[in-house]
Amino acid sequence: MNRRLMFTAALAFATTVIAFAAEAAEVKNIVIVHGALADGSGWRRATDILEKRGFNVTIVQQPITSLEDDVAATKRVLDLQQGPSLLVGHSYGGMVITEAGNDPNVAGLVYVAAFQPDKGESLLSLASSKPAGSMDIKETKDGKYLYLDPGAFAAAFAADLPQAEADFMARSQVFASKQAFSAKITQPAWRTKKSWSIVATEDRSINPDLERDMAKRAGSEVTEIKASHAVFASQAEKVADAIEEAARQAGE
């Protein structure tokens, strides 16, 4: 073999190795998108657990003014990460990661008691297909935003949390625009990316059977946890375990 052929073969081999390494890069970045009627503070315990296990965790504090705005906010956080990221979404956050997950640096998607829509579906269309328990949703005076009555918050959203913690979550909730809830997905990332789903079996905000159906449709690996919609806070260690395993598999 002459020198030119040897160089060409060596270059091809090196390129293949580099491509394989990039595809199978270890996933150490976790980017979390919180749900509507909540904020990112409820993820503190799960974040602390994951950080102690060697992960770099960042929480997106999206405005929930529109799905487009929230996807943009998520992408800005993804742009700050060094290396591939596992994108995690709770509740409405599942809508966001389904679009934002098309970013090339996203290695996989984790849906935590979340909506997992297909193309053309909105949060409203999914929620109405299999209604959950009673939710005392109210409109702001301008008629543009929605919030969960603080007096009903614990029972509907966080029944397995201490009352004081549920009360704090009720008072720190981010109001959701009607526009965000009615926006339709255009390109579901779970069709091309690995995905995992955590079903909260005692969920009164999203019907657990709807969570199961969406996960089955997407071919997601499912973990069921006996918990309320606030599973990320009430069962933080179990949620962290599932995220850690997803990160391991995403890096294979």
mmCIF file of all heavy atoms in Angstrom, residues 61-113:
data_model
loop_
_atom_site.group_PDB
_atom_site.id
_atom_site.type_symbol
_atom_site.label_atom_id
_atom_site.label_comp_id
_atom_site.label_asym_id
_atom_site.label_seq_id
_atom_site.Cartn_x
_atom_site.Cartn_y
_atom_site.Cartn_z
ATOM 1 N N GLN A 61 -36.180 28.365 33.469
ATOM 2 C CA GLN A 61 -37.308 29.107 34.042
ATOM 3 C C GLN A 61 -38.026 29.810 32.886
ATOM 4 O O GLN A 61 -37.914 31.016 32.704
ATOM 5 C CB GLN A 61 -36.811 30.105 35.088
ATOM 6 C CG GLN A 61 -36.189 29.443 36.315
ATOM 7 C CD GLN A 61 -37.220 28.919 37.307
ATOM 8 O OE1 GLN A 61 -38.252 28.368 36.930
ATOM 9 N NE2 GLN A 61 -36.941 29.075 38.578
ATOM 10 N N GLN A 62 -38.767 29.017 32.118
ATOM 11 C CA GLN A 62 -39.430 29.558 30.936
ATOM 12 C C GLN A 62 -40.627 30.422 31.339
ATOM 13 O O GLN A 62 -41.254 30.200 32.371
ATOM 14 C CB GLN A 62 -39.840 28.431 29.990
ATOM 15 C CG GLN A 62 -41.052 27.622 30.414
ATOM 16 C CD GLN A 62 -40.709 26.476 31.341
ATOM 17 O OE1 GLN A 62 -39.663 26.452 31.946
ATOM 18 N NE2 GLN A 62 -41.619 25.515 31.471
ATOM 19 N N PRO A 63 -40.997 31.397 30.510
ATOM 20 C CA PRO A 63 -42.056 32.348 30.885
ATOM 21 C C PRO A 63 -43.482 31.811 30.766
ATOM 22 O O PRO A 63 -44.411 32.365 31.343
ATOM 23 C CB PRO A 63 -41.836 33.506 29.915
ATOM 24 C CG PRO A 63 -41.226 32.863 28.702
ATOM 25 C CD PRO A 63 -40.339 31.772 29.250
ATOM 26 N N ILE A 64 -43.674 30.781 29.981
ATOM 27 C CA ILE A 64 -45.001 30.207 29.670
ATOM 28 C C ILE A 64 -45.919 31.274 29.083
ATOM 29 O O ILE A 64 -47.101 31.362 29.391
ATOM 30 C CB ILE A 64 -45.644 29.495 30.887
ATOM 31 C CG1 ILE A 64 -44.602 28.664 31.639
ATOM 32 C CG2 ILE A 64 -46.777 28.574 30.425
ATOM 33 C CD1 ILE A 64 -45.161 27.777 32.734
ATOM 34 N N THR A 65 -45.349 32.101 28.234
ATOM 35 C CA THR A 65 -46.113 33.106 27.496
ATOM 36 C C THR A 65 -46.608 32.544 26.163
ATOM 37 O O THR A 65 -47.633 32.972 25.642
ATOM 38 C CB THR A 65 -45.251 34.350 27.257
ATOM 39 O OG1 THR A 65 -43.958 33.933 26.789
ATOM 40 C CG2 THR A 65 -45.065 35.137 28.548
ATOM 41 N N SER A 66 -45.847 31.610 25.611
ATOM 42 C CA SER A 66 -46.249 30.883 24.402
ATOM 43 C C SER A 66 -45.316 29.684 24.284
ATOM 44 O O SER A 66 -44.216 29.687 24.846
ATOM 45 C CB SER A 66 -46.139 31.762 23.156
ATOM 46 O OG SER A 66 -44.776 32.010 22.829
ATOM 47 N N LEU A 67 -45.748 28.681 23.540
ATOM 48 C CA LEU A 67 -44.887 27.522 23.335
ATOM 49 C C LEU A 67 -43.610 27.942 22.622
ATOM 50 O O LEU A 67 -42.511 27.486 22.966
ATOM 51 C CB LEU A 67 -45.624 26.456 22.520
ATOM 52 C CG LEU A 67 -44.830 25.175 22.224
ATOM 53 C CD1 LEU A 67 -44.412 24.465 23.499
ATOM 54 C CD2 LEU A 67 -45.647 24.235 21.330
ATOM 55 N N GLU A 68 -43.730 28.834 21.671
ATOM 56 C CA GLU A 68 -42.561 29.321 20.925
ATOM 57 C C GLU A 68 -41.552 29.984 21.859
ATOM 58 O O GLU A 68 -40.342 29.738 21.780
ATOM 59 C CB GLU A 68 -43.006 30.303 19.836
ATOM 60 C CG GLU A 68 -41.874 30.819 18.963
ATOM 61 C CD GLU A 68 -42.337 31.804 17.904
ATOM 62 O OE1 GLU A 68 -43.536 32.183 17.923
ATOM 63 O OE2 GLU A 68 -41.519 32.201 17.063
ATOM 64 N N ASP A 69 -42.041 30.838 22.765
ATOM 65 C CA ASP A 69 -41.157 31.512 23.715
ATOM 66 C C ASP A 69 -40.464 30.501 24.629
ATOM 67 O O ASP A 69 -39.274 30.651 24.954
ATOM 68 C CB ASP A 69 -41.942 32.498 24.576
ATOM 69 C CG ASP A 69 -42.386 33.733 23.801
ATOM 70 O OD1 ASP A 69 -41.884 33.954 22.681
ATOM 71 O OD2 ASP A 69 -43.250 34.462 24.331
ATOM 72 N N ASP A 70 -41.204 29.484 25.048
ATOM 73 C CA ASP A 70 -40.656 28.511 25.991
ATOM 74 C C ASP A 70 -39.632 27.591 25.332
ATOM 75 O O ASP A 70 -38.631 27.214 25.954
ATOM 76 C CB ASP A 70 -41.794 27.693 26.621
ATOM 77 C CG ASP A 70 -42.748 28.574 27.418
ATOM 78 O OD1 ASP A 70 -42.310 29.643 27.880
ATOM 79 O OD2 ASP A 70 -43.925 28.212 27.560
ATOM 80 N N VAL A 71 -39.858 27.253 24.070
ATOM 81 C CA VAL A 71 -38.874 26.475 23.315
ATOM 82 C C VAL A 71 -37.598 27.301 23.144
ATOM 83 O O VAL A 71 -36.481 26.789 23.316
ATOM 84 C CB VAL A 71 -39.442 26.041 21.948
ATOM 85 C CG1 VAL A 71 -38.345 25.475 21.056
ATOM 86 C CG2 VAL A 71 -40.549 25.006 22.140
ATOM 87 N N ALA A 72 -37.756 28.590 22.846
ATOM 88 C CA ALA A 72 -36.594 29.474 22.674
ATOM 89 C C ALA A 72 -35.810 29.589 23.981
ATOM 90 O O ALA A 72 -34.569 29.562 23.977
ATOM 91 C CB ALA A 72 -37.045 30.846 22.196
ATOM 92 N N ALA A 73 -36.516 29.709 25.094
ATOM 93 C CA ALA A 73 -35.852 29.801 26.399
ATOM 94 C C ALA A 73 -35.069 28.523 26.696
ATOM 95 O O ALA A 73 -33.954 28.572 27.238
ATOM 96 C CB ALA A 73 -36.883 30.051 27.494
ATOM 97 N N THR A 74 -35.634 27.391 26.333
ATOM 98 C CA THR A 74 -34.967 26.104 26.549
ATOM 99 C C THR A 74 -33.723 25.980 25.679
ATOM 100 O O THR A 74 -32.663 25.519 26.134
ATOM 101 C CB THR A 74 -35.941 24.953 26.259
ATOM 102 O OG1 THR A 74 -37.094 25.085 27.105
ATOM 103 C CG2 THR A 74 -35.292 23.600 26.514
ATOM 104 N N LYS A 75 -33.825 26.407 24.443
ATOM 105 C CA LYS A 75 -32.675 26.329 23.537
ATOM 106 C C LYS A 75 -31.531 27.229 24.004
ATOM 107 O O LYS A 75 -30.353 26.889 23.831
ATOM 108 C CB LYS A 75 -33.105 26.686 22.112
ATOM 109 C CG LYS A 75 -33.934 25.588 21.447
ATOM 110 C CD LYS A 75 -34.244 25.919 19.997
ATOM 111 C CE LYS A 75 -34.952 24.760 19.315
ATOM 112 N NZ LYS A 75 -35.255 25.054 17.897
ATOM 113 N N ARG A 76 -31.868 28.357 24.613
ATOM 114 C CA ARG A 76 -30.812 29.236 25.127
ATOM 115 C C ARG A 76 -30.015 28.537 26.227
ATOM 116 O O ARG A 76 -28.786 28.689 26.320
ATOM 117 C CB ARG A 76 -31.409 30.545 25.645
ATOM 118 C CG ARG A 76 -31.803 31.519 24.541
ATOM 119 C CD ARG A 76 -32.095 32.897 25.084
ATOM 120 N NE ARG A 76 -33.329 32.942 25.852
ATOM 121 C CZ ARG A 76 -34.532 33.169 25.324
ATOM 122 N NH1 ARG A 76 -34.661 33.365 24.020
ATOM 123 N NH2 ARG A 76 -35.595 33.215 26.087
ATOM 124 N N VAL A 77 -30.715 27.766 27.059
ATOM 125 C CA VAL A 77 -30.028 27.010 28.111
ATOM 126 C C VAL A 77 -29.233 25.857 27.511
ATOM 127 O O VAL A 77 -28.097 25.593 27.917
ATOM 128 C CB VAL A 77 -31.041 26.495 29.157
ATOM 129 C CG1 VAL A 77 -30.366 25.556 30.152
ATOM 130 C CG2 VAL A 77 -31.674 27.663 29.905
ATOM 131 N N LEU A 78 -29.790 25.172 26.530
ATOM 132 C CA LEU A 78 -29.065 24.083 25.872
ATOM 133 C C LEU A 78 -27.774 24.590 25.232
ATOM 134 O O LEU A 78 -26.754 23.894 25.256
ATOM 135 C CB LEU A 78 -29.952 23.429 24.796
ATOM 136 C CG LEU A 78 -31.093 22.541 25.301
ATOM 137 C CD1 LEU A 78 -32.023 22.174 24.147
ATOM 138 C CD2 LEU A 78 -30.558 21.283 25.971
ATOM 139 N N ASP A 79 -27.804 25.801 24.710
ATOM 140 C CA ASP A 79 -26.616 26.370 24.068
ATOM 141 C C ASP A 79 -25.469 26.602 25.047
ATOM 142 O O ASP A 79 -24.311 26.714 24.630
ATOM 143 C CB ASP A 79 -26.968 27.698 23.386
ATOM 144 C CG ASP A 79 -27.789 27.510 22.116
ATOM 145 O OD1 ASP A 79 -27.830 26.381 21.593
ATOM 146 O OD2 ASP A 79 -28.401 28.500 21.658
ATOM 147 N N LEU A 80 -25.774 26.673 26.334
ATOM 148 C CA LEU A 80 -24.744 26.899 27.352
ATOM 149 C C LEU A 80 -24.029 25.620 27.779
ATOM 150 O O LEU A 80 -22.999 25.681 28.441
ATOM 151 C CB LEU A 80 -25.370 27.543 28.602
ATOM 152 C CG LEU A 80 -25.994 28.931 28.428
ATOM 153 C CD1 LEU A 80 -26.640 29.371 29.741
ATOM 154 C CD2 LEU A 80 -24.959 29.943 27.973
ATOM 155 N N GLN A 81 -24.588 24.463 27.409
ATOM 156 C CA GLN A 81 -24.030 23.195 27.862
ATOM 157 C C GLN A 81 -22.837 22.778 27.022
ATOM 158 O O GLN A 81 -22.789 23.016 25.818
ATOM 159 C CB GLN A 81 -25.102 22.091 27.815
ATOM 160 C CG GLN A 81 -26.432 22.467 28.465
ATOM 161 C CD GLN A 81 -26.289 22.970 29.872
ATOM 162 O OE1 GLN A 81 -25.678 22.323 30.727
ATOM 163 N NE2 GLN A 81 -26.859 24.138 30.149
ATOM 164 N N GLN A 82 -21.875 22.141 27.669
ATOM 165 C CA GLN A 82 -20.717 21.570 26.985
ATOM 166 C C GLN A 82 -20.942 20.070 26.825
ATOM 167 O O GLN A 82 -20.955 19.342 27.800
ATOM 168 C CB GLN A 82 -19.444 21.830 27.801
ATOM 169 C CG GLN A 82 -19.134 23.311 28.025
ATOM 170 C CD GLN A 82 -18.864 24.041 26.735
ATOM 171 O OE1 GLN A 82 -18.152 23.542 25.865
ATOM 172 N NE2 GLN A 82 -19.405 25.240 26.592
ATOM 173 N N GLY A 83 -21.172 19.629 25.592
ATOM 174 C CA GLY A 83 -21.455 18.220 25.356
ATOM 175 C C GLY A 83 -22.948 17.950 25.298
ATOM 176 O O GLY A 83 -23.767 18.865 25.436
ATOM 177 N N PRO A 84 -23.328 16.684 25.098
ATOM 178 C CA PRO A 84 -24.742 16.328 24.945
ATOM 179 C C PRO A 84 -25.534 16.516 26.233
ATOM 180 O O PRO A 84 -24.979 16.462 27.332
ATOM 181 C CB PRO A 84 -24.680 14.853 24.535
ATOM 182 C CG PRO A 84 -23.400 14.357 25.117
ATOM 183 C CD PRO A 84 -22.439 15.506 25.015
ATOM 184 N N SER A 85 -26.840 16.721 26.071
ATOM 185 C CA SER A 85 -27.721 16.935 27.219
ATOM 186 C C SER A 85 -28.903 15.981 27.180
ATOM 187 O O SER A 85 -29.395 15.612 26.110
ATOM 188 C CB SER A 85 -28.265 18.368 27.231
ATOM 189 O OG SER A 85 -27.238 19.310 27.395
ATOM 190 N N LEU A 86 -29.359 15.615 28.371
ATOM 191 C CA LEU A 86 -30.620 14.904 28.528
ATOM 192 C C LEU A 86 -31.657 15.958 28.883
ATOM 193 O O LEU A 86 -31.477 16.719 29.834
ATOM 194 C CB LEU A 86 -30.513 13.856 29.634
ATOM 195 C CG LEU A 86 -31.721 12.921 29.802
ATOM 196 C CD1 LEU A 86 -31.798 11.942 28.633
ATOM 197 C CD2 LEU A 86 -31.617 12.149 31.115
ATOM 198 N N LEU A 87 -32.731 16.014 28.112
ATOM 199 C CA LEU A 87 -33.752 17.035 28.305
ATOM 200 C C LEU A 87 -34.927 16.427 29.056
ATOM 201 O O LEU A 87 -35.500 15.417 28.629
ATOM 202 C CB LEU A 87 -34.192 17.562 26.938
ATOM 203 C CG LEU A 87 -34.939 18.886 26.847
ATOM 204 C CD1 LEU A 87 -34.230 20.007 27.607
ATOM 205 C CD2 LEU A 87 -35.125 19.274 25.385
ATOM 206 N N VAL A 88 -35.279 17.040 30.187
ATOM 207 C CA VAL A 88 -36.324 16.519 31.078
ATOM 208 C C VAL A 88 -37.471 17.517 31.150
ATOM 209 O O VAL A 88 -37.249 18.713 31.348
ATOM 210 C CB VAL A 88 -35.763 16.282 32.495
ATOM 211 C CG1 VAL A 88 -36.854 15.765 33.435
ATOM 212 C CG2 VAL A 88 -34.581 15.323 32.461
ATOM 213 N N GLY A 89 -38.711 17.046 30.998
ATOM 214 C CA GLY A 89 -39.861 17.940 31.070
ATOM 215 C C GLY A 89 -40.944 17.404 31.972
ATOM 216 O O GLY A 89 -41.269 16.222 31.921
ATOM 217 N N HIS A 90 -41.503 18.279 32.802
ATOM 218 C CA HIS A 90 -42.623 17.904 33.666
ATOM 219 C C HIS A 90 -43.901 18.569 33.160
ATOM 220 O O HIS A 90 -43.898 19.751 32.804
ATOM 221 C CB HIS A 90 -42.373 18.351 35.110
ATOM 222 C CG HIS A 90 -43.578 18.186 36.001
ATOM 223 N ND1 HIS A 90 -44.299 19.253 36.486
ATOM 224 C CD2 HIS A 90 -44.185 17.066 36.463
ATOM 225 C CE1 HIS A 90 -45.303 18.791 37.228
ATOM 226 N NE2 HIS A 90 -45.247 17.480 37.221
ATOM 227 N N SER A 91 -44.986 17.806 33.079
ATOM 228 C CA SER A 91 -46.306 18.326 32.739
ATOM 229 C C SER A 91 -46.268 19.094 31.409
ATOM 230 O O SER A 91 -45.908 18.528 30.378
ATOM 231 C CB SER A 91 -46.810 19.203 33.883
ATOM 232 O OG SER A 91 -48.188 19.447 33.756
ATOM 233 N N TYR A 92 -46.609 20.383 31.401
ATOM 234 C CA TYR A 92 -46.518 21.193 30.178
ATOM 235 C C TYR A 92 -45.095 21.208 29.636
ATOM 236 O O TYR A 92 -44.885 21.346 28.421
ATOM 237 C CB TYR A 92 -46.997 22.620 30.478
ATOM 238 C CG TYR A 92 -46.594 23.630 29.438
ATOM 239 C CD1 TYR A 92 -47.246 23.702 28.209
ATOM 240 C CD2 TYR A 92 -45.549 24.527 29.686
ATOM 241 C CE1 TYR A 92 -46.857 24.633 27.241
ATOM 242 C CE2 TYR A 92 -45.167 25.462 28.733
ATOM 243 C CZ TYR A 92 -45.816 25.508 27.521
ATOM 244 O OH TYR A 92 -45.434 26.429 26.569
ATOM 245 N N GLY A 93 -44.110 21.030 30.504
ATOM 246 C CA GLY A 93 -42.727 20.967 30.049
ATOM 247 C C GLY A 93 -42.502 19.873 29.018
ATOM 248 O O GLY A 93 -41.569 19.946 28.216
ATOM 249 N N GLY A 94 -43.361 18.855 29.032
ATOM 250 C CA GLY A 94 -43.287 17.812 28.022
ATOM 251 C C GLY A 94 -43.594 18.336 26.631
ATOM 252 O O GLY A 94 -43.019 17.876 25.635
ATOM 253 N N MET A 95 -44.503 19.311 26.545
ATOM 254 C CA MET A 95 -44.775 19.954 25.264
ATOM 255 C C MET A 95 -43.514 20.668 24.768
ATOM 256 O O MET A 95 -43.147 20.577 23.595
ATOM 257 C CB MET A 95 -45.910 20.978 25.414
ATOM 258 C CG MET A 95 -47.210 20.445 25.979
ATOM 259 S SD MET A 95 -48.060 19.271 24.889
ATOM 260 C CE MET A 95 -48.437 20.291 23.483
ATOM 261 N N VAL A 96 -42.859 21.360 25.691
ATOM 262 C CA VAL A 96 -41.679 22.158 25.343
ATOM 263 C C VAL A 96 -40.533 21.275 24.864
ATOM 264 O O VAL A 96 -39.917 21.541 23.820
ATOM 265 C CB VAL A 96 -41.237 23.020 26.532
ATOM 266 C CG1 VAL A 96 -39.994 23.837 26.169
ATOM 267 C CG2 VAL A 96 -42.364 23.944 26.991
ATOM 268 N N ILE A 97 -40.233 20.203 25.616
ATOM 269 C CA ILE A 97 -39.091 19.376 25.227
ATOM 270 C C ILE A 97 -39.360 18.596 23.951
ATOM 271 O O ILE A 97 -38.425 18.204 23.248
ATOM 272 C CB ILE A 97 -38.640 18.426 26.361
ATOM 273 C CG1 ILE A 97 -39.644 17.296 26.605
ATOM 274 C CG2 ILE A 97 -38.367 19.198 27.648
ATOM 275 C CD1 ILE A 97 -39.135 16.212 27.549
ATOM 276 N N THR A 98 -40.636 18.380 23.633
ATOM 277 C CA THR A 98 -40.961 17.672 22.395
ATOM 278 C C THR A 98 -40.519 18.468 21.179
ATOM 279 O O THR A 98 -40.084 17.897 20.168
ATOM 280 C CB THR A 98 -42.473 17.373 22.332
ATOM 281 O OG1 THR A 98 -42.807 16.491 23.413
ATOM 282 C CG2 THR A 98 -42.858 16.704 21.027
ATOM 283 N N GLU A 99 -40.602 19.801 21.255
ATOM 284 C CA GLU A 99 -40.107 20.663 20.172
ATOM 285 C C GLU A 99 -38.627 20.978 20.345
ATOM 286 O O GLU A 99 -37.834 20.828 19.415
ATOM 287 C CB GLU A 99 -40.908 21.969 20.131
ATOM 288 C CG GLU A 99 -42.296 21.840 19.547
ATOM 289 C CD GLU A 99 -42.324 21.756 18.017
ATOM 290 O OE1 GLU A 99 -41.254 21.729 17.381
ATOM 291 O OE2 GLU A 99 -43.435 21.709 17.462
ATOM 292 N N ALA A 100 -38.237 21.397 21.548
ATOM 293 C CA ALA A 100 -36.840 21.800 21.780
ATOM 294 C C ALA A 100 -35.881 20.623 21.653
ATOM 295 O O ALA A 100 -34.694 20.808 21.367
ATOM 296 C CB ALA A 100 -36.702 22.431 23.166
ATOM 297 N N GLY A 101 -36.394 19.416 21.839
ATOM 298 C CA GLY A 101 -35.555 18.222 21.779
ATOM 299 C C GLY A 101 -34.986 17.923 20.415
ATOM 300 O O GLY A 101 -34.118 17.047 20.277
ATOM 301 N N ASN A 102 -35.422 18.649 19.405
ATOM 302 C CA ASN A 102 -34.846 18.471 18.067
ATOM 303 C C ASN A 102 -33.455 19.087 17.958
ATOM 304 O O ASN A 102 -32.768 18.881 16.963
ATOM 305 C CB ASN A 102 -35.782 19.086 17.016
ATOM 306 C CG ASN A 102 -37.070 18.291 16.859
ATOM 307 O OD1 ASN A 102 -37.041 17.124 16.481
ATOM 308 N ND2 ASN A 102 -38.191 18.923 17.177
ATOM 309 N N ASP A 103 -33.042 19.833 18.962
ATOM 310 C CA ASP A 103 -31.688 20.381 18.989
ATOM 311 C C ASP A 103 -30.681 19.234 18.854
ATOM 312 O O ASP A 103 -30.816 18.209 19.534
ATOM 313 C CB ASP A 103 -31.481 21.127 20.314
ATOM 314 C CG ASP A 103 -30.154 21.852 20.374
ATOM 315 O OD1 ASP A 103 -29.117 21.166 20.509
ATOM 316 O OD2 ASP A 103 -30.145 23.085 20.304
ATOM 317 N N PRO A 104 -29.671 19.370 18.014
ATOM 318 C CA PRO A 104 -28.725 18.267 17.777
ATOM 319 C C PRO A 104 -27.934 17.832 19.010
ATOM 320 O O PRO A 104 -27.426 16.714 19.045
ATOM 321 C CB PRO A 104 -27.797 18.815 16.690
ATOM 322 C CG PRO A 104 -27.951 20.293 16.752
ATOM 323 C CD PRO A 104 -29.365 20.539 17.157
ATOM 324 N N ASN A 105 -27.827 18.693 20.018
ATOM 325 C CA ASN A 105 -27.076 18.333 21.220
ATOM 326 C C ASN A 105 -27.915 17.618 22.268
ATOM 327 O O ASN A 105 -27.409 17.294 23.347
ATOM 328 C CB ASN A 105 -26.444 19.592 21.838
ATOM 329 C CG ASN A 105 -25.295 20.120 20.996
ATOM 330 O OD1 ASN A 105 -24.530 19.350 20.420
ATOM 331 N ND2 ASN A 105 -25.192 21.439 20.896
ATOM 332 N N VAL A 106 -29.190 17.371 21.968
ATOM 333 C CA VAL A 106 -30.058 16.630 22.892
ATOM 334 C C VAL A 106 -29.928 15.140 22.606
ATOM 335 O O VAL A 106 -30.209 14.673 21.509
ATOM 336 C CB VAL A 106 -31.525 17.082 22.765
ATOM 337 C CG1 VAL A 106 -32.439 16.172 23.584
ATOM 338 C CG2 VAL A 106 -31.676 18.526 23.226
ATOM 339 N N ALA A 107 -29.493 14.398 23.636
ATOM 340 C CA ALA A 107 -29.262 12.963 23.470
ATOM 341 C C ALA A 107 -30.500 12.132 23.762
ATOM 342 O O ALA A 107 -30.597 10.975 23.332
ATOM 343 C CB ALA A 107 -28.127 12.523 24.395
ATOM 344 N N GLY A 108 -31.451 12.693 24.494
ATOM 345 C CA GLY A 108 -32.643 11.949 24.833
ATOM 346 C C GLY A 108 -33.621 12.811 25.607
ATOM 347 O O GLY A 108 -33.299 13.924 26.035
ATOM 348 N N LEU A 109 -34.836 12.285 25.773
ATOM 349 C CA LEU A 109 -35.931 13.029 26.398
ATOM 350 C C LEU A 109 -36.520 12.220 27.551
ATOM 351 O O LEU A 109 -36.775 11.018 27.401
ATOM 352 C CB LEU A 109 -37.035 13.305 25.379
ATOM 353 C CG LEU A 109 -36.602 13.914 24.044
ATOM 354 C CD1 LEU A 109 -37.697 13.722 22.998
ATOM 355 C CD2 LEU A 109 -36.290 15.382 24.204
ATOM 356 N N VAL A 110 -36.765 12.881 28.674
ATOM 357 C CA VAL A 110 -37.425 12.234 29.809
ATOM 358 C C VAL A 110 -38.697 13.007 30.138
ATOM 359 O O VAL A 110 -38.642 14.207 30.433
ATOM 360 C CB VAL A 110 -36.514 12.177 31.048
ATOM 361 C CG1 VAL A 110 -37.246 11.491 32.203
ATOM 362 C CG2 VAL A 110 -35.217 11.440 30.740
ATOM 363 N N TYR A 111 -39.824 12.317 30.080
ATOM 364 C CA TYR A 111 -41.119 12.915 30.374
ATOM 365 C C TYR A 111 -41.527 12.525 31.792
ATOM 366 O O TYR A 111 -41.687 11.338 32.090
ATOM 367 C CB TYR A 111 -42.159 12.432 29.365
ATOM 368 C CG TYR A 111 -41.917 12.936 27.963
ATOM 369 C CD1 TYR A 111 -41.045 12.257 27.106
ATOM 370 C CD2 TYR A 111 -42.535 14.084 27.487
ATOM 371 C CE1 TYR A 111 -40.809 12.714 25.816
ATOM 372 C CE2 TYR A 111 -42.310 14.551 26.204
ATOM 373 C CZ TYR A 111 -41.446 13.864 25.370
ATOM 374 O OH TYR A 111 -41.211 14.329 24.095
ATOM 375 N N VAL A 112 -41.692 13.516 32.672
ATOM 376 C CA VAL A 112 -42.021 13.265 34.075
ATOM 377 C C VAL A 112 -43.456 13.716 34.331
ATOM 378 O O VAL A 112 -43.733 14.919 34.394
ATOM 379 C CB VAL A 112 -41.048 14.018 35.008
ATOM 380 C CG1 VAL A 112 -41.388 13.736 36.471
ATOM 381 C CG2 VAL A 112 -39.610 13.626 34.712
ATOM 382 N N ALA A 113 -44.374 12.747 34.426
ATOM 383 C CA ALA A 113 -45.795 13.081 34.570
ATOM 384 C C ALA A 113 -46.137 14.201 33.588
ATOM 385 O O ALA A 113 -46.673 15.246 33.958
ATOM 386 C CB ALA A 113 -46.114 13.494 36.006
#
